[in-house]
Amino acid sequence: MKKLVLLLLGLCTMAVAQKKKNVSQPAAPAVPDYHIRMSADKWQFKEGKVTFIEKNGTPAMRIVQGNQGAVLLKEAVFTNGTIEFDFEPEAPMSLGSSPTVYFHGDAQSNDVEILYIRARPKTPTANDGVQYCPILKGVNMWDMYPDYQAPAMFEAGKANHLKMVVSGKQMKVYVNDMNRPTLYIPKLEGNATTGMLALDGGMTVWNMQVKPDITENLPPMEGHDLTDHDAQYIRNWAMTTPLELPAKQEVTNMDIPGPEVFKEAILAERQGLVNITRKYGNSENRRVVWLKAIIKTAEAQKNMLQLGFSDEVWVFLNGSLAYVDKNLFLQPSMRKYPAGRISVQNARASLNLKAGENELLIAVANDFYGWGIIARLENMEGVEFSK
């Protein structure tokens, strides 16, 4: 009997073990394939713009320098995530042939975001090795955001790796060193937050991956603007609508508009930028806009206005011309530091303020790319701005 019981227990144990063995284990989750094929069926392009080759035994796409337009990734709708690829820039490099990544928006709306990649021989520390800028209403704003660029250690004719991490309003860009970002953008300035993904400029691309919503813990809200702590920026302006300004015509106090035409209002954006382009967009002709602010002082004083501008300004204080200047990129002798781009370091204008209210008027003319001003008083003792 004892042997029978032991035999039955052994059979039961074997049956249970066999049952456990037959229970199917859950399959491991499939690893997503984020790779983008370097083949003609995956991309939209004009004839002669690209050729498909092999690079180090891997399918690659060579983008030809020229004006045939960008190479668009078909059916891509990119919002947040990671874009990365190996690339080899063509040599020699020039401003118009820089490898370029376009993201968000679309060509039809003329609102797109751009990352430029510039590999120049013997200039590894050039401050525009990588540069971000938006296109707003058809206007390339590269001259309005001089801080959105950085040196990048890469060369033409050699393999490099680029990674862009986009999360809401922020972006980090890595070039070759994946442990430390080459460029950090605290706020993406484009009007669009989702849309296309495209490439351009002279380069060969391979091992491309697009990883939706993989943002490496980068916060989606915009980063802090340290100039928010600075009360010396003039941030609130009344404004007129744009008027045509014939070529070579200057603005005088005879052109000062009456108070009834200051029907618009505009607030400064990050770093005190009064972004006229975002409001009024592009124009084929030279235009002028008038901005008005009121400065109140306890007593008469001499003050200094730090002024950034693109492209021409006429400054009037209490009806009298106080300053006139031009910041023209296309005329090297007329470029203000830094390199003809807008900055609060462009110029300084002396203001003789009277006791009480002072009317500051700035006429701003547009000639090339972005359009706007930055205005900051050097001394705020006994001074306040009307809102």
Side-chain angles (χ1 to χ4, degrees), residues 79-81 103-104 113 165-171 185-189 192-194 213 215 218-222:
T79 304
N80 298 309
F103 61 104
H104 292 166
E113 310 208 70
V165 180
V166 177
S167 177
K169 286 294 185 181
Q170 297 195 49
M171 178 172 71
I185 304 300
K187 183 192 177 187
L188 293 169
E189 300 285 354
T193 58
T194 189
D213 299 321
T215 58
L218 182 64
M221 70 289 294
E222 68 178 80

Side-chain angles (χ1 to χ4, degrees), residues 59-359:
M61 177 172 65
R62 181 175 180 267
I63 304 173
V64 179
Q65 299 178 14
N67 298 319
Q68 299 101 321
V71 182
L72 181 69
L73 181 59
K74 292 181 179 178
E75 300 177 0
V77 180
F78 180 78
T79 304
N80 298 309
T82 300
I83 303 164
E84 61 181 312
F85 53 83
D86 294 320
F87 71 101
E88 184 178 297
E90 298 287 341
M93 293 291 297
S94 65
L95 186 63
S97 65
S98 300
T100 306
V101 181
Y102 296 95
F103 61 104
H104 292 166
D106 58 70
Q108 286 70 39
S109 68
N110 288 320
D111 284 298
V112 181
E113 310 208 70
I114 308 173
L115 181 73
Y116 291 113
I117 309 161
R118 301 190 181 95
R120 300 191 183 99
K122 301 180 181 179
T123 56
T125 58
N127 206 38
D128 60 351
V130 286
Q131 179 189 354
Y132 159 77
C133 77
I135 291 179
L136 300 179
K137 298 182 177 178
V139 181
N140 187 310
M141 299 289 284
W142 72 270
D143 59 332
M144 303 297 282
Y145 298 104
D147 293 335
Y148 288 174
Q149 61 182 24
M153 303 301 290
F154 59 91
E155 298 181 55
K158 294 186 179 180
N160 302 270
H161 190 75
L162 176 84
K163 181 170 77 170
M164 302 164 55
V165 180
V166 177
S167 177
K169 286 294 185 181
Q170 297 195 49
M171 178 172 71
K172 288 185 178 180
V173 179
Y174 300 78
V175 178
N176 290 329
D177 183 354
M178 298 297 110
N179 295 315
R180 183 172 182 232
T182 300
L183 177 66
Y184 165 61
I185 304 300
K187 183 192 177 187
L188 293 169
E189 300 285 354
N191 289 329
T193 58
T194 189
M196 72 175 194
L197 181 57
L199 305 175
D200 203 355
M203 64 174 167
T204 300
V205 179
W206 68 100
N207 288 335
M208 184 174 186
Q209 297 186 65
V210 179
K211 305 173 184 178
D213 299 321
I214 295 181
T215 58
E216 301 183 356
N217 297 318
L218 182 64
M221 70 289 294
E222 68 178 80
H224 189 60
D225 175 13
L226 292 178
T227 66
D228 282 348
H229 302 306
D230 192 335
Q232 293 169 238
Y233 285 89
I234 306 177
R235 302 180 186 277
N236 297 275
W237 297 84
M239 184 167 65
T240 67
T241 55
L243 300 171
E244 294 289 327
L245 184 64
K248 299 183 180 180
Q249 179 175 318
E250 294 293 313
V251 174
T252 72
N253 57 0
M254 299 296 292
D255 301 307
I256 294 176
E260 70 280 357
V261 301
F262 287 90
K263 297 179 179 179
E264 302 289 332
I266 190 168
L267 297 177
E269 300 180 3
R270 294 178 68 91
Q271 298 183 320
L273 174 63
V274 179
N275 193 340
I276 301 173
T277 306
R278 195 183 297 277
K279 189 170 184 70
Y280 288 123
N282 195 15
S283 173
E284 297 297 324
N285 302 315
R286 186 171 177 238
R287 294 186 295 174
V288 64
V289 155
W290 287 82
L291 299 168
K292 179 171 69 174
I294 302 299
I295 303 173
K296 296 180 180 179
T297 57
E299 58 184 32
Q301 61 170 268
K302 186 174 183 178
N303 212 316
M304 196 65 68
L305 179 69
Q306 297 173 341
L307 186 62
F309 55 96
S310 183
D311 298 290
E312 304 172 75
V313 289
W314 296 261
V315 179
F316 296 86
L317 182 65
N318 299 321
S320 297
L321 183 65
Y323 183 81
V324 60
D325 211 343
K326 302 181 189 300
N327 186 14
L328 305 178
F329 179 82
L330 294 179
Q331 299 183 38
S333 63
M334 300 296 291
R335 292 177 186 173
K336 297 294 183 183
Y337 176 85
R341 304 166 75 183
I342 195 170
S343 167
V344 75
Q345 301 176 68
N346 287 158
R348 296 168 76 240
S350 180
L351 300 180
N352 292 312
L353 300 170
K354 65 181 183 180
E357 288 194 352
N358 295 265
E359 183 181 70

